[in-house]
Every structure is written in C-alpha cells, then in structure tokens.
C-alpha cells in the first residue's frame, strides 16, 4: 500500500538535469507538464565538489515561470548570499545546517528577506543537529544522496530518517536525490511532502507523464 496516491505531493523538478542551452524553454515545459515548484541547485565548489549557478541565473529565470523558485544552497557560509538570492526572485531558500556557524541566524536572515526558510542536512548528518532550528524553518530538506551531483542512487537508510523527522516536525519535508517512481513512493509513505527530481523528469521524453508517475507512485 502506498501513500503517494492519497496525499497532495508536490513535485519540484531540479533544473540541474535540464538542457542548460535551452533553460527557459525547459522550465516552461515542466510548468506546462504539471510541476509545482522549480528546484534550483546552487553549488560553490567548496561545500560540494561541483559548481553550478548563481543569483544571475535565478534572476534570468524568474520572469519565465509563475512557479515558486525553490533554491537549494549547497555553499559555504550561505548567509553571505541570502540577500542576493532573495533579490533575484527566490521564493524558498534552503541552506545546509553544516555550512554555517549559526544556522539560526541564517534562518532569521532568510525570514527577514520575506522568504520561506528551508534547512537541509547531508545523509551522514544526524537529525539531532536540527534540534534548535526546527521551530525557525518552514521546510526540512532531507538529502537522500550525497549533495553535489544528479543521477545518483537513493540511500535507503534515509527512509527511517524521514519517518523520525515526521514525528517531530509539522512543516514540509522535502526529499532530494535519486527520486524515481519507486523511491518516491517509499519517501511519501515515510512522510515526505515535496519530491525533488532531476533525472526522473528531465531525463524522460514525456515530462507530464514523468511528473504524474512521481506524484501517484504508479
Ligand atoms: C544534488 C541535488 C539534487 C539533484 C537531484 O546535490 O541537490 O537536486 O539535482 O538529481 P536526481 O534527481 O537526478 O538525483
Ligand atoms: Zn537539490
């Protein structure tokens, strides 16, 4: 029995797997195909061993879509860039608890910019690291792969982490990494509300079918 069909699960395609030479068109296409949010993976080559995009790209895609821009900062000291990402048009800004000296201050900074606040944690980071910050955030992003690259396999041990978090946290639980129809279903059963998917959307021919399959788990 899967929970995916019973619940309003949000799908956030990750543009990391989009064709960057046609980024605007790709975003319009996933919006037409039924995506709920657009997930933007920001990497600095320091917090993770990959470099992707910055506030200029967020600003460029802002007028392309009416969907929420869900910006996932995988950068060291994200507090230095929160304001720039906010001004560029982000709606939700998620930072890593491991990446800054005072996660509570970073959360307050995002809130002060008028944006929704998300906090994320690497697969190896314990939920106890979030204890003080949970009351300050709207969303927790549970990484289900090691951050840095698309196309990796979902780490099955993260299902228990999602379940444990669900007991303590009333806000949105987002999962990111290795999400496909099977892992989507397992994550939703465990308590996930928002599914990030790169390969499982942009790697398919038919975006609408891909999004609908993730949403229903079938
Ligand atoms: C990984 C990123 C993910 C990535 C997911 O660090 O945070 O958003 O794009 O890609 P897939 O869905 O292919 O695992
Ligand atoms: Zn991400």
């Amino acid at each position: 029995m899967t929970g995916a069909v019973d619940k309003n699960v949000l799908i956030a395609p990750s543009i990391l797997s989009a064709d960057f030479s046609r980024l605007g068109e790709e975003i319009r296409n996933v919006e037409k195909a039924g995506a709920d949010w657009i997930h933007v993976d920001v990497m600095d080559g320091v917090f993770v061993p990959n470099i992707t995009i910055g506030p200029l790209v967020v600003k460029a895609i802002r007028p392309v879509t009416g969907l929420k821009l869900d910006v996932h900062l995988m950068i060291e000291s994200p507090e230095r860039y929160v304001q720039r990402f906010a001004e560029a048009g982000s709606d939700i800004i998620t930072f890593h608890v491991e990446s800054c000296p005072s996660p509570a201050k970073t959360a307050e900074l995002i809130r002060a910019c008028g944006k929704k606040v998300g906090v994320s944690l690497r697969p190896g980071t314990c939920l106890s690291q979030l204890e003080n910050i949970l009351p300050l955030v709207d969303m927790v992003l549970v990484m289900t792969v090691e951050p840095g690259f698309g196309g990796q396999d979902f780490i099955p041990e993260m299902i228990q982490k999602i379940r444990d978090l669900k007991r303590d946290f009333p806000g949105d639980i987002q999962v990111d990494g290795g999400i496909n129809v099977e892992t989507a279903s397992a994550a939703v059963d465990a308590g996930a509300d928002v599914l990030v998917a790169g390969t499982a959307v942009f790697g398919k021919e038919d975006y609408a079918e891909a999004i609908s399959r993730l949403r229903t788990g079938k």
Side-chain angles (χ1 to χ4, degrees), residues 44 61 90 105 141 179 181 183 192 196 205 214:
D44 66 352
I61 63 176
S90 312
K105 277 196 187 143
L141 165 48
I179 295 296
V181 176
T183 57
V196 175
E205 285 282 306
L214 291 171

Side-chain angles (χ1 to χ4, degrees), residues 39 41 72 74 176 196:
H39 186 81
D41 285 308
H72 177 192
M74 286 161 276
D176 184 3
V196 175

Side-chain angles (χ1 to χ4, degrees), residues 4 11 179-181 184 195 197 200-201 209-217:
I11 308 296
I179 295 296
N180 55 37
V181 176
L195 307 175
V201 175
E209 184 190 316
I211 290 170
S212 150
R213 291 195 67 201
L214 291 171
R215 205 189 294 284
T216 58

Side-chain angles (χ1 to χ4, degrees), residues 188-211:
V188 169
D189 282 347
D193 306 285
V194 187
L195 307 175
V196 175
T199 316
V201 175
F202 288 105
K204 305 286 182 192
E205 285 282 306
D206 184 338
Y207 295 169
E209 184 190 316
I211 290 170

Side-chain angles (χ1 to χ4, degrees), residues 16-60:
L16 192 60
S17 301
D19 178 348
F20 273 65
S21 70
R22 302 185 296 111
L23 190 53
E25 195 185 328
E26 289 274 70
I27 290 171
R28 277 189 284 267
N29 286 342
V30 284
E31 178 168 6
K32 261 189 253 149
D36 297 289
W37 297 354
I38 300 296
H39 186 81
V40 181
D41 285 308
V42 177
M43 306 186 190
D44 66 352
V46 180
F47 183 71
V48 289
N50 195 6
I51 300 178
T52 55
I53 64 184
L56 276 179
V57 175
V58 174
K59 193 175 174 193

